[in-house]
Amino acid sequence: MSDKFQAVVIGGGPGGYVCAIRLAQLGLKTACIESRGSLGGTCLNIGCIPSKSLLNLSEEYHKVQNLSNKGIEIGEVKLNLPKMMKSKDKAVTVLTKGVEFLLKKNKVTYFKGAGSFKSKNEISIRDEKKNETLIQADKVIIATGSLPVSLPGIAFDEKVIVSSTGALKFEKVPKKMIVVGGGYIGLEMGSVWSRLGTEVHVVEFLDHITPGMDKEISTEFMKILKKQGINFHMQHKVEKIKKLNSSAVVSTKDKNGAQKDFESDVVLISVGRKPNTNGLNLEKIGIELDEKNRVKTNKSFQTNIDNIYAIGDVITGPMLAHKAEDEGIAVAENIAGQSGHVNYDTIPGVIYTTPEVASIGKTEEQLKEKNINYKTGKFSFMANSRAKAIDDAEGFVKILADANTDKVLGAHLIGPHAGELIAEIGIAMEFGASSEDIARTCHAHPTFSEAVKEAALSVDKRAIHS
Ligand code: FAD
Ligand code: NAD
């Protein structure tokens, strides 16, 4: 007789493992299946965590080289890339093991192997040795995440033509790297390698980087990255990539039809990710997908098959770890008879470059498109005393508020610790706060958060320090 569970989660990423823990907390007998061999999904193994580790280490390397300008004299600074990679790998191992501990602590049964549907209530798990285990499930949650997209006809070899996975483990610092796509991955990984000494060229299809982001921020962001030495080739379409022995030639065409070839030792293709439904056998049970091959769900994350749900990167919405986690919690609560809910208007997005870029809610472009009257408050970090004190004063905070009610509709930040500062605005928006509410809240001095307060004051044209 096969084991029977009240809930089975397929995928142990931030969506899946969080969902499994919440289900178990709510008293359901729960299992979580993961095929990777370690928990934490894309995020912990080959995404958020290793990339943030390398962003931090490369930034430290870069900063320490410039300390003599600030009166700190040190000897020659040398890069030890294998040691840096070990430090990154250690962070990954500690965190993935930590998730395994959390599953155990919450009495979630962890199956190592690839899950697929035999029927709507029966799941097959194939381990590395192809042994099959069958389990029964009242409810199933699909949390199988996403995979990198390449360009038509171009395969990743993860050495010369790489996705983010290859770019997280180069064995030596590339001399030159072409980054196809100026989005989250291209700019974060481009920053890492540029700081470690690579000549980085970003080839972007559009006339601006980070599409979907507030235009003013995106323009400022590109200006700052250019100053840091990253080269941009905008409105360039990649026509083909030819792989040579240990390099590649990227052939592009610009908006006027002019052709240009770039030769480099590595090419990072970062043009987006696609939902991963490989091997799940969804056709067999008739699960509907949408036009982008994402699992189709209703507002309660339920698919067209009533006992099967889906969350995270494999469904619609931004491909972000915290979005997947919040959906995991919401679906678990719905399954347990509670009212789980995700507010998609207040999901922050952060790019962990230097400076950081963070945004939440509506952009100016979206407000204009929807004919919503709004007021803008802006404050530059140049006028923030903490930022000036530590000589880290690039960027600004922009708050958008409804012209009639003053309710905060969105905020866009570029500057030091922007990824932390955005949380304050998230809470304000969740509570339906006005910009005046933020402006009247006492912020400690001297902190970067005072720039948020001043931007809120500036909505009503009464910033003090500008
Ligand atoms: P995943 O994390 O992809 O997890 C799905 C898991 O399911 C995988 O481990 C996979 O092995 C497993 N699986 C798939 N099929 C099966 C099967 N049949 N049986 C068993 N297991 C299966 N997001 C952020 O919010 N912040 C960041 O800083 C950030 N940085 C990123 C950096 C990079 C380089 C990348 C690539 C992504 C980054 N992301 C970041 C995005 C983030 O990683 C994803 O949004 C997040 O991991 C999605 O979570 P998920 O649980 O839906 O899917
Ligand atoms: P992206 O969607 O962020 O950016 C893709 C970029 O490639 C866009 O600027 C797009 O215009 C461009 N592009 C598309 N086709 C092109 C082509 N043929 N030639 C040139 N440019 C082209 O995608 P990504 O950077 O691959 O990242 C995937 C997802 O992973 C992100 O959208 C995000 O959800 C997630 N992620 C998040 C973080 C974070 O939260 N800090 C970090 C990394 C990844």
Side-chain angles (χ1 to χ4, degrees):
M1 201 35 201
S2 54
D3 271 349
K4 186 165 185 227
F5 293 89
Q6 286 168 293
V8 170
V9 184
I10 309 181
Y17 85 74
V18 167
C19 179
I21 290 175
R22 187 73 188 116
L23 285 161
Q25 282 178 347
L26 290 163
L28 280 86
K29 186 182 177 201
T30 305
C32 182
I33 309 170
E34 171 56 58
S35 57
R36 186 186 295 277
S38 80
L39 291 160
T42 302
C43 175
L44 265 61
N45 291 281
I46 49 165
C48 324
I49 298 305
S51 62
K52 264 78 266 179
S53 171
L54 286 185
L55 276 156
N56 179 59
L57 293 164
S58 60
E59 178 61 9
E60 293 204 34
Y61 174 67
H62 186 253
K63 265 193 181 153
V64 87
Q65 286 170 308
N66 296 300
L67 280 180
S68 62
N69 302 337
K70 299 182 177 175
I72 304 170
E73 305 285 351
I74 42 173
E76 194 194 350
V77 180
K78 280 207 308 221
L79 175 68
N80 183 333
L81 188 62
K83 220 169 176 177
M84 190 179 269
M85 289 294 175
K86 260 196 192 147
S87 170
K88 171 213 51 164
D89 294 340
K90 188 173 155 206
V92 170
T93 308
V94 166
L95 287 167
T96 54
K97 288 275 171 232
V99 174
E100 199 166 331
F101 165 77
L102 288 174
L103 288 194
K104 206 178 269 171
K105 182 179 157 205
N106 286 281
K107 301 193 172 45
V108 173
T109 306
Y110 168 29
F111 288 100
K112 285 191 182 179
S116 69
F117 286 93
K118 282 260 176 197
S119 72
K120 73 188 200 87
N121 293 107
E122 192 174 31
I123 309 290
S124 145
I125 305 159
R126 282 212 183 262
D127 68 14
E128 264 181 342
K129 293 181 180 141
K130 303 281 176 247
N131 297 321
E132 187 179 35
T133 305
L134 290 179
I135 57 174
Q136 306 294 319
D138 292 337
K139 309 277 186 193
V140 183
I141 299 92
I142 302 170
T144 45
S146 62
L147 298 168
V149 168
S150 187
L151 296 169
I154 297 163
F156 294 119
D157 62 17
E158 300 297 6
K159 294 265 182 236
V160 174
I161 301 178
V162 301
S163 69
S164 48
T165 306
L168 286 165
K169 55 178 192 197
F170 289 138
E171 283 166 8
K172 56 181 200 246
V173 177
K175 279 201 178 64
K176 189 169 168 184
M177 171 159 96
I178 305 299
V179 173
V180 185
Y184 278 78
I185 291 177
L187 301 177
E188 286 188 351
M189 294 316 299
S191 290
V192 165
W193 292 106
S194 167
R195 291 169 193 161
L196 297 180
T198 304
E199 179 187 326
V200 174
H201 291 258
V202 177
V203 175
E204 167 61 52
F205 187 62
L206 300 173
D207 65 354
H208 58 282
I209 55 171
T210 56
M213 186 172 280
D214 191 275
K215 271 280 180 62
E216 201 181 353
I217 294 277
S218 146
T219 306
E220 179 72 10
F221 188 25
M222 187 161 130
K223 216 161 76 189
I224 292 174
L225 291 176
K226 269 187 182 166
K227 244 180 16 195
Q228 292 175 5
I230 296 183
N231 305 283
F232 287 91
H233 308 273
M234 307 307 287
Q235 292 179 288
H236 276 63
K237 186 169 184 285
V238 173
E239 299 265 284
K240 72 174 192 249
I241 303 179
K242 189 169 165 206
K243 202 183 143 192
L244 309 172
N245 274 346
S246 56
S247 66
V249 179
V250 179
S251 306
T252 66
K253 204 184 244 179
D254 74 9
K255 63 175 182 207
N256 304 314
Q259 280 191 312
K260 194 169 173 183
D261 285 354
F262 299 85
E263 182 166 355
S264 66
D265 30 356
V266 291
V267 180
L268 165 63
I269 302 181
S270 47
V271 295
R273 296 177 60 86
K274 60 182 179 195
N276 174 21
T277 54
N278 293 347
L280 283 172
N281 215 6
L282 296 186
E283 326 70 59
K284 174 150 188 197
I285 49 167
I287 295 227
E288 279 179 27
L289 303 181
D290 70 10
E291 70 296 344
K292 291 187 175 164
N293 287 325
R294 299 171 294 205
V295 177
K296 214 166 152 177
T297 58
N298 63 18
K299 285 207 168 103
S300 309
F301 310 102
Q302 195 170 28
T303 68
N304 59 313
I305 309 289
D306 62 354
N307 72 314
I308 302 176
Y309 300 76
I311 53 165
D313 279 11
V314 79
I315 68 167
T316 187
M319 289 185 168
L320 296 172
H322 40 285
K323 177 259 192 191
E325 289 187 30
D326 284 6
E327 288 179 343
I329 289 173
V331 75
E333 291 177 351
N334 287 338
I335 288 171
Q338 300 184 352
S339 306
H341 169 75
V342 176
N343 181 358
Y344 291 97
D345 289 334
T346 55
I347 295 182
V350 179
I351 306 183
Y352 297 83
T353 43
T354 301
E356 288 182 353
V357 179
S359 82
I360 190 163
K362 299 276 182 282
T363 62
E364 280 205 59
E365 292 71 37
Q366 287 170 331
L367 292 173
K368 281 183 189 141
E369 200 185 298
K370 287 186 164 36
N371 281 324
I372 296 172
N373 283 332
Y374 65 94
K375 299 177 288 182
T376 308
K378 252 177 82 174
F379 191 79
S380 167
F381 281 103
M382 287 296 277
N384 173 268
S385 52
R386 179 68 175 279
K388 285 304 276 181
I390 65 160
D391 191 20
D392 189 3
E394 274 181 313
F396 59 88
V397 178
K398 173 158 100 172
I399 295 182
L400 305 171
D402 188 285
N404 301 316
T405 64
D406 194 36
K407 187 177 174 182
V408 177
L409 302 173
H412 307 280
L413 287 73
I414 178 164
H417 305 285
E420 304 295 334
L421 297 177
I422 200 80
E424 162 180 6
I425 300 174
I427 296 202
M429 287 177 74
E430 272 297 331
F431 281 82
S434 62
S435 73
E436 187 178 350
D437 289 326
I438 299 178
R440 289 195 184 276
T441 302
C442 189
H443 288 66
H445 174 77
T447 61
F448 301 107
S449 72
E450 286 174 292
V452 174
K453 176 185 171 136
E454 291 270 11
L457 281 165
S458 155
V459 172
D460 199 27
K461 305 207 174 357
R462 56 195 182 95
I464 301 294
H465 294 93
S466 68

